[in-house]
Amino acid sequence: MRRGSLLLALAGVVIVAMSGCTKTGPQEAGPPAPAVAPAAPGPGAATPGKITVLMVPKLKGIDYFNACEKGAREAAQALGNVELIFDGPTEDKADAQNQLIDGYIAQNVNVIAISPNDPDSIAGVLKKARAKGIHVLTWDADANPEKSGREFFVNQASSEAVGAALVDEMAAQKGKTAKVAIVTSSLTAANQNAWIKAMKARMASQYPQMKLVCDPKPSEENQQLAFQVTQDLLKTYRDLDGVFAISSVAFPGAADAVQQAKQGGKVAVVGLATPKPMRQWVEAGTVKTVILWNPVDLGYATIQAAQALAEGKLAAGAKALESGRLGSLTVSGDQVLLGPPMEFTKDNIAQFDF
């Protein structure tokens, strides 16, 4: 019952938040209208014909972004006039994304959809794309909207909903006075930093005695580093009650460290990851709950948004985006909202193959 209630509550949060910005402030306040610069005539202008979309993940080859690609290709096939190029770096390096995008600008793609590794360092090349008339949107993680000129952000779940889900789950497992630590991806990742901000706000408002024992520790999208960082936390803080691991790479590393230290049950591991790679730790009992959205749906929604942007159906002031099998998604300011987070537990995790 508690899981069901939590999901309903999260759904309610997101419904209320339909007018809100997931990066800053309460959802009810709503983000400012996007300062979308008009695209110069060029390849990004609306076209009745084929639309070429470059979709860039933070890095290629991990389960999470593979699932996003699966949904993106499903949407491209369903729409019929979208040619999808899914390409990204093999390391989560901002410079690598810059170089990759610069090359595709020269190929005159119509839309660039990117999950930036760094919100600011990517801004220059995205602004260059806009100057060439190429539409730009972000997904999964946002770029600095003012510096980059990106037009929309396809947001997988509001930061407030993600933060609340993580902290509430930790409180449910280890109590309201738990001593906890955070293992994040990189310290510059915009979405992780937004979630951390929301987590801290949730602790302050609902669990003021829950204590972060140290600043967030980076794992740089490296599972072995996440393992080592968590090992260090367990050795340094002998009374640690829980570890938040908030990336799909950090979570398995942290869970493995807790399990190998035979601290499962004593130290809770709560985080964000795709269900398939986490299944072994869930079934072993080291991890009780995996929190995430559906990355297949995120990729699907991103391509729907990209096509609508290129065809002029998604523009400043839009309130909804028709998204095929996902139905009508709410557009709040400059964000397309996918929906509330999901929870994967021992009861359902085997049903998901991503």
Side-chain angles (χ1 to χ4, degrees):
M1 291 295 291
R2 186 177 61 77
R3 298 281 187 269
S5 299
L6 176 59
L7 283 172
L8 288 172
L10 286 170
V13 168
V14 173
I15 290 169
V16 171
M18 290 303 186
S19 63
C21 173
T22 60
K23 286 191 69 183
T24 58
Q27 296 296 296
E28 291 80 355
V36 179
T47 171
K50 183 179 70 176
I51 298 167
T52 302
V53 179
L54 169 66
M55 187 169 177
V56 183
K58 287 178 179 173
L59 74 166
K60 294 192 297 186
I62 65 172
D63 286 335
Y64 175 77
F65 287 117
N66 290 343
C68 294
E69 181 182 3
K70 179 180 178 182
R73 295 205 177 282
E74 177 194 353
Q77 184 174 14
L79 290 168
N81 68 334
V82 173
E83 179 184 349
L84 172 63
I85 303 170
F86 192 92
D87 198 4
T90 54
E91 295 182 292
D92 62 329
K93 303 295 184 184
D95 287 349
Q97 284 188 318
N98 274 311
Q99 293 171 8
L100 184 144
I101 289 174
D102 206 33
Y104 279 107
I105 289 174
Q107 295 183 31
N108 291 334
V109 297
N110 300 104
V111 183
I112 293 174
I114 180 171
S115 170
N117 281 307
D118 185 288
D120 291 314
S121 64
I122 201 69
V125 74
L126 297 184
K127 194 171 183 178
K128 177 181 177 181
R130 292 290 292 135
K132 295 284 187 180
I134 298 172
H135 288 288
V136 173
L137 58 84
T138 53
W139 59 281
D140 180 64
D142 202 5
N144 185 315
E146 288 76 25
K147 291 182 178 178
S148 68
R150 66 94 174 125
E151 295 162 271
F152 284 89
F153 170 36
V154 182
N155 195 345
Q156 58 269 42
S158 75
S159 297
E160 288 73 16
V162 171
L166 291 167
V167 174
D168 289 354
E169 179 62 26
M170 182 65 77
Q173 292 188 31
K174 302 306 297 183
K176 297 181 179 180
T177 62
K179 295 178 181 179
V180 297
I182 298 173
V183 180
T184 184
S185 56
S186 71
L187 296 179
T188 60
N191 50 355
Q192 267 84 9
N193 287 339
W195 297 330
I196 290 170
K197 181 179 179 180
M199 292 165 66
K200 290 180 176 177
R202 186 69 173 182
M203 290 181 198
S205 66
Q206 300 297 317
Y207 313 104
Q209 295 184 52
M210 186 177 284
K211 181 181 179 182
L212 275 172
V213 298
C214 59
D215 291 334
K217 301 295 185 183
S219 60
E220 308 297 352
E221 298 290 7
N222 183 314
Q223 185 170 326
Q224 182 59 34
L225 180 57
F227 177 87
Q228 294 172 356
V229 166
T230 305
Q231 272 193 330
D232 292 342
L233 288 169
L234 296 174
K235 293 175 182 175
T236 303
Y237 304 99
R238 298 286 184 176
D239 57 349
L240 193 66
D241 295 307
V243 176
F244 293 105
I246 60 172
S247 85
S248 62
V249 179
F251 200 0
D256 196 23
V258 169
Q259 185 162 293
Q260 290 198 30
K262 301 187 185 306
Q263 296 289 301
K266 178 180 180 298
V267 178
V269 192
V270 175
L272 304 166
T274 47
K276 185 177 178 181
M278 293 304 301
R279 184 176 170 182
Q280 61 178 303
W281 291 287
V282 172
E283 293 183 340
T286 306
V287 172
K288 290 186 177 180
T289 304
V290 177
I291 295 170
L292 197 68
W293 44 92
N294 189 326
V296 177
D297 288 349
L298 177 59
Y300 185 95
T302 298
I303 295 304
Q304 293 281 346
Q307 189 221 38
L309 191 60
E311 294 185 344
K313 300 173 184 173
L314 178 61
K319 299 299 182 185
L321 171 68
E322 296 305 319
S323 300
R325 65 171 173 77
L326 298 179
S328 181
L329 299 179
T330 295
V331 179
S332 179
D334 60 358
Q335 298 192 25
V336 179
L337 299 175
L338 181 61
M342 295 177 64
E343 288 191 348
F344 306 95
T345 68
K346 188 179 291 187
D347 293 335
N348 68 359
I349 199 164
Q351 301 171 22
F352 299 91
D353 64 352
F354 58 83

